[in-house]
Amino acid sequence: MGKSEDDARKIEAPSGEVPEVLRTMSLDSFVPPDQPAKLKAIAQGAKVLNPALNPDQIDAPPTDQEMSTH
């Protein structure tokens, strides 16, 4: 196991050429190639959803009396 990205790439490349090795993975395997665009979309979505998920104020729950009148 390598201790850096470069070490991981040096191990990953030749290992992938061995017939007994189905696939190799490193941390880079989990980062999509269009990561910046996806992060931008996530940030835009967060701007829209944040007020709904984290409101500035929350109404008090209804009292028992209010519940029984409806």
Side-chain angles (χ1 to χ4, degrees):
M1 180 174 268
K3 294 183 180 189
S4 71
E5 276 185 57
D6 289 336
D7 288 347
R9 286 189 192 108
K10 288 175 187 173
I11 294 168
E12 185 178 23
S15 300
E17 297 171 7
V18 177
E20 294 83 9
V21 176
L22 179 62
R23 71 178 175 171
T24 59
M25 296 178 75
S26 68
L27 288 178
D28 285 343
S29 303
F30 297 96
V31 178
D34 56 346
Q35 180 76 347
K38 290 185 178 190
L39 290 174
K40 183 178 178 182
I42 290 169
Q44 289 172 339
K47 284 181 184 177
V48 172
L49 292 174
N50 190 47
L53 298 175
N54 300 299
D56 290 334
Q57 59 181 331
I58 300 173
D59 294 340
T63 63
D64 290 338
Q65 183 179 9
E66 290 171 330
M67 291 296 290
S68 64
T69 60
H70 293 299

